[in-house]
């Protein structure tokens, strides 16, 4: 069964649609390769893959401008690629090599890029939310029109620090978009078993923060909602909450067998709701691209990912002296 078709015409150009397809495919192929390297023992520690959730970050990045900031949790490889960080540098960081974007010291969960305004991957559940508000506070203070995207999951939404942050962000009218990447299972517990609120974004109502739910398997729906949220923040109206309902195909991390759901459930999502297949279908039915065009894009992406993997294996181990660098800045 193919991905569910849509009869609604895309509200973007053919070039934009191809760009979203390419970006999502890059994340998918990169994560598949990362899973292979983990299985080979070349990536150690935890490794949380973004497979299935690609439309979330690609759709949100489509509404950003230069200088906007982003901060997220440990499922962060897709966010790095979507904001333009080098695939080779990301993969080399996963393997703990000198060529990694944090020089091999951060690994999968702790990568940063001042150039791309990416402020991490954070391993402590929910810790990035108040930090994201801090980034937005700096922009509010400077009055520079920038917006911060603070990503967290449905599991982290039950952390107390999230609501302390909501309160402060609302009081100070901070230009921050709180993005709840609701993949429905947190670390392994279904939302309905752990969260009393069916729609998590409504928790912002107590603080006067507007929000909405979004189909996180549809990159165009995410883009449209993101543009609305960004306009709200840039207009000085304070924070906004986007609950993006998505689905991860793999377990919480590579070590999670995901026995809390059935294979049939996952397969149904892959066949009927896959975000990449939906865009592929739009490109083909709209005659914006041929099968050969899409095969060429896939070939190009695979070459980029294979080159990144080779770089991650060939880059040397960090020098011991590297332990003493970048400690305070």
């Amino acid at each position: 069964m193919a991905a569910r078709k849509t009869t609604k015409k895309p509200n973007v150009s053919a070039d934009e649609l191809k760009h979203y397809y390419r970006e999502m495919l890059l994340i998918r192929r990169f994560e598949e390769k990362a899973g292979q390297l983990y299985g080979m023992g070349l990536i150690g520690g935890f490794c949380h893959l973004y497979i299935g959730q690609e439309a979330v970050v690609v759709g949100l990045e489509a509404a950003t401008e230069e200088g906007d900031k982003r901060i997220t949790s440990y499922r962060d490889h897709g966010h790095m690629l979507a904001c333009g960080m080098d695939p080779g540098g990301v993969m080399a960081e996963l393997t703990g090599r000198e060529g990694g974007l944090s020089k091999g010291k951060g690994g999968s969960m702790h990568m940063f890029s001042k150039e791309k305004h990416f402020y991490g991957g954070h391993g402590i559940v929910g810790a990035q939310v108040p930090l994201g508000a801090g980034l937005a506070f700096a922009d509010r203070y400077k009055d520079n029109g920038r917006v911060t995207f603070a990503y967290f999951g449905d599991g982290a939404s039950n952390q107390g620090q999230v609501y302390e942050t909501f309160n402060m962000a609302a009081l100070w009218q901070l230009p921050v978009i709180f993005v709840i990447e609701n993949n429905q299972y947190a670390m392994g517990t279904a939302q309905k078993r752990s969260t009393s609120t069916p729609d998590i974004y409504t928790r912002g109502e107590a603080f006067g923060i507007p929000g909405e739910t979004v189909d996180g398997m549809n990159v165009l729906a995410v883009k449209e909602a993101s543009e609305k949220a960004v306009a709200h923040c840039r207009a000085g109206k304070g924070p906004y909450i986007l609950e993006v309902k998505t689905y991860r195909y793999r377990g919480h991390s590579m070590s999670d067998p995901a026995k809390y759901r059935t294979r049939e459930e996952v397969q149904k999502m892959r066949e009927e709701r896959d975000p990449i297949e939906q865009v592929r279908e739009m490109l083909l039915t709209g005659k914006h691209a041929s099968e050969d065009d899409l095969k060429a894009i896939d070939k190009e992406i695979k070459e980029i990912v294979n080159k990144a993997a080779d770089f991650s294996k060939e880059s040397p181990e960090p020098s011991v002296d590297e332990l003493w660098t970048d400690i305070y800045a």
Side-chain angles (χ1 to χ4, degrees):
M1 185 186 296
R4 187 172 65 184
K5 295 182 180 180
T6 177
T7 56
K8 184 179 178 180
K9 290 185 178 181
N11 60 345
V12 295
S13 69
D15 286 342
E16 287 176 300
L17 206 56
K18 287 179 185 176
H19 173 71
Y20 304 148
Y21 179 79
R22 186 184 183 281
E23 291 295 292
M24 289 193 291
L25 194 61
L26 172 61
I27 295 171
R28 178 73 58 89
R29 296 289 181 252
F30 182 96
E31 294 291 64
E32 289 170 348
K33 180 62 70 173
Q36 292 175 12
L37 296 184
Y38 186 92
M40 295 165 62
L42 294 172
I43 296 175
F46 287 101
C47 184
H48 306 82
L49 302 182
Y50 204 63
I51 297 175
Q53 298 184 212
E54 297 89 353
V56 178
V57 71
V58 171
L60 282 155
E61 282 291 334
T64 63
E65 294 180 0
E66 176 58 35
D68 289 341
K69 301 175 178 66
R70 61 282 288 163
I71 187 168
T72 188
S73 65
Y74 36 75
R75 196 180 309 281
D76 52 4
H77 313 156
H79 301 73
M80 300 171 198
L81 297 172
C83 73
M85 291 167 69
D86 173 54
V90 177
M91 195 72 85
E93 190 60 39
L94 299 187
T95 56
R97 303 302 179 92
E98 188 179 83
L101 288 168
S102 290
K103 302 178 184 177
K105 297 185 291 186
S108 175
M109 299 195 291
H110 304 97
M111 265 181 267
F112 298 81
S113 173
K114 287 176 64 178
E115 293 74 22
K116 298 298 182 182
H117 309 287
F118 181 82
Y119 292 88
H122 293 264
I124 298 174
V125 176
Q128 73 278 12
V129 181
L131 294 176
L135 293 169
F137 178 84
D139 289 331
R140 178 83 167 82
Y141 184 81
K142 295 175 182 177
D143 193 24
N144 59 15
R146 301 279 68 84
V147 171
T148 294
F149 294 78
Y151 294 83
F152 58 102
D154 49 302
S157 69
N158 289 322
Q159 291 283 319
Q161 60 195 319
V162 170
Y163 302 98
E164 293 181 59
T165 304
F166 281 1
N167 185 54
M168 295 171 75
L171 275 173
W172 297 337
Q173 294 288 281
L174 302 183
V176 55
I177 299 172
F178 296 110
V179 183
I180 304 171
E181 294 197 71
N182 185 352
N183 62 27
Q184 304 176 45
Y185 283 100
M187 287 183 67
T189 303
Q191 179 190 339
K192 63 183 179 181
R193 295 182 57 215
S194 64
T195 306
S196 63
T197 321
D199 292 323
I200 302 172
Y201 83 93
T202 59
R203 293 180 174 183
E205 293 175 359
F207 305 94
I209 304 176
E212 61 183 293
T213 60
V214 189
D215 179 4
M217 306 302 279
N218 184 327
V219 69
L220 299 185
V222 177
K223 174 182 179 289
E224 185 176 354
S226 182
E227 288 172 342
K228 177 181 175 182
V230 165
H232 175 92
C233 290
R234 292 204 206 283
K237 297 179 181 179
Y240 199 92
I241 301 174
L242 286 179
E243 180 182 354
V244 190
K245 295 196 174 183
T246 183
Y247 195 86
R248 65 166 190 259
Y249 295 165
R250 302 289 183 92
H252 172 66
S253 68
M254 285 294 294
S255 59
D256 172 20
K259 293 182 179 180
Y260 41 81
R261 60 185 182 182
T262 65
R263 290 184 179 180
E264 290 75 19
E265 177 185 311
V266 179
Q267 188 61 30
K268 182 178 175 63
M269 289 294 291
R270 279 184 174 271
E271 292 178 348
E272 299 181 6
R273 302 287 311 284
D274 187 80
I276 299 175
E277 286 300 313
Q278 289 186 55
V279 175
R280 184 179 187 277
E281 186 69 27
M282 281 189 275
L283 286 168
L284 291 173
T285 58
K287 301 189 185 305
H288 303 304
S290 66
E291 289 279 5
D292 287 341
D293 293 334
L294 299 184
K295 287 179 181 178
I297 292 174
D298 196 15
K299 181 181 178 182
E300 175 199 355
I301 294 299
K302 286 178 178 177
E303 289 174 354
I304 291 171
V305 170
N306 287 334
K307 184 178 178 181
D310 290 341
F311 176 73
S312 75
K313 290 181 278 189
E314 294 164 1
S315 182
E317 297 282 345
S319 165
V320 175
D321 294 338
E322 190 59 51
L323 289 170
W324 311 106
T325 65
D326 302 316
I327 296 174
Y328 297 110

